[in-house]
Amino acid sequence: MTDHLPTITVHGPEGAHALREPLLAIRAEVKGPLSANGDGAWLTRAATHPGFRLVTVHVDAELVGYAFGYTLKRSSRFWDGLLTPPEDPGLLVEDGRRTFVGGDMMVLPHHRGRGYSHLLHDTMAHSRPEQRAALVVDPDIAQHAAYRAWGWTTLGEYRFTPDSPTYLAMLHDLPLTPARPRSRPPGRRIGEPATNTT
């Protein structure tokens, strides 16, 4: 019996452009048909940010998942969506080097339960120069519990727009220390994660 090992690849902005259609296809399968304003412009915009990193996982020749993120700019308004300001307002100050923010992390439904999300997560945060990582997650109990098990702490409720659903903002100190390295499936890693890929 042949083992189908995952292959992890780290890309810069050029990878986001080259893989645009397959990435959008995965997002549509996971989250449903793209909305009128969800035609992929979000991916193009993300790839223009400093420190952009895209991580993909293939099984054989099939792209089965991806994750991306980038460095928050000094002028970022990312924290405007936080509904409950922290006791220390300094937590929300950005200097263009402080925070790596995670965007989408998607794995096709028929490939879940094999540790690919954790593999994407750890590769995404590996060797980042920022002090911390931030992300916004669905308040789904299982998803939230998974991130907490990976070492993330909850900062508070978050909305992208005043009328959007309520999510949870989370933080993780960098450099990353994998919480459960044994949960990773065996596989090959192609390309060392670059520092501040632009």
Side-chain angles (χ1 to χ4, degrees), residues 70-72 78-79 86 88-95 97-102 125 128-135 152 155 170-176:
Y70 50 84
T71 309
L72 288 183
F78 174 80
W79 295 115
D88 178 7
L91 279 175
L92 309 186
V93 174
E94 297 299 336
D95 61 6
R97 302 181 303 274
R98 187 183 191 187
T99 307
F100 178 74
V101 63
R128 293 298 310 187
E130 298 87 356
Q131 299 174 28
R132 64 185 186 177
L135 52 74
W152 292 79
L155 187 57
M170 305 188 77
L171 286 174
H172 197 307
D173 289 338
L174 295 175
L176 177 71

Side-chain angles (χ1 to χ4, degrees), residues 3-196:
D3 290 333
H4 298 280
L5 300 180
T7 298
I8 291 287
T9 310
V10 181
H11 312 262
E14 69 288 344
H17 298 308
L19 295 171
R20 182 177 183 276
E21 294 307 316
L23 296 174
L24 294 182
I26 288 180
R27 194 173 197 272
E29 183 167 344
V30 172
K31 302 193 72 170
L34 296 174
S35 62
N37 62 355
D39 59 357
W42 51 270
L43 180 60
T44 301
R45 287 194 300 270
T48 66
H49 284 266
F52 177 83
R53 175 180 291 174
L54 168 69
V55 182
T56 57
V57 56
H58 285 77
V59 176
D60 296 330
E62 181 185 9
L63 177 63
V64 303
Y66 72 89
F68 72 81
Y70 50 84
T71 309
L72 288 183
K73 298 177 182 179
R74 181 191 298 269
S75 60
S76 172
R77 302 190 65 179
F78 174 80
W79 295 115
D80 289 358
L82 194 65
L83 301 183
T84 306
E87 292 184 6
D88 178 7
L91 279 175
L92 309 186
V93 174
E94 297 299 336
D95 61 6
R97 302 181 303 274
R98 187 183 191 187
T99 307
F100 178 74
V101 63
D104 282 350
M105 184 165 70
M106 305 274 175
V107 175
L108 291 174
H110 57 286
H111 283 281
R112 292 177 186 166
R114 304 176 187 179
Y116 297 159
S117 291
H118 199 183
L119 187 58
L120 287 167
H121 168 273
D122 285 2
T123 306
M124 174 65 62
H126 179 70
S127 298
R128 293 298 310 187
E130 298 87 356
Q131 299 174 28
R132 64 185 186 177
L135 52 74
V136 176
V137 302
D138 193 292
D140 172 78
I141 293 175
Q143 184 177 125
H144 187 219
Y147 280 102
R148 285 179 61 85
W150 296 344
W152 292 79
T153 58
T154 305
L155 187 57
E157 293 185 332
Y158 187 101
R159 286 182 184 158
F160 290 98
T161 63
D163 57 350
S164 79
T166 300
Y167 298 89
L168 294 173
M170 305 188 77
L171 286 174
H172 197 307
D173 289 338
L174 295 175
L176 177 71
T177 300
R180 295 181 302 173
R182 291 184 182 180
S183 70
R184 293 184 181 181
R188 295 186 295 123
R189 181 171 299 172
I190 305 299
E192 279 302 308
T195 298
N196 263 346

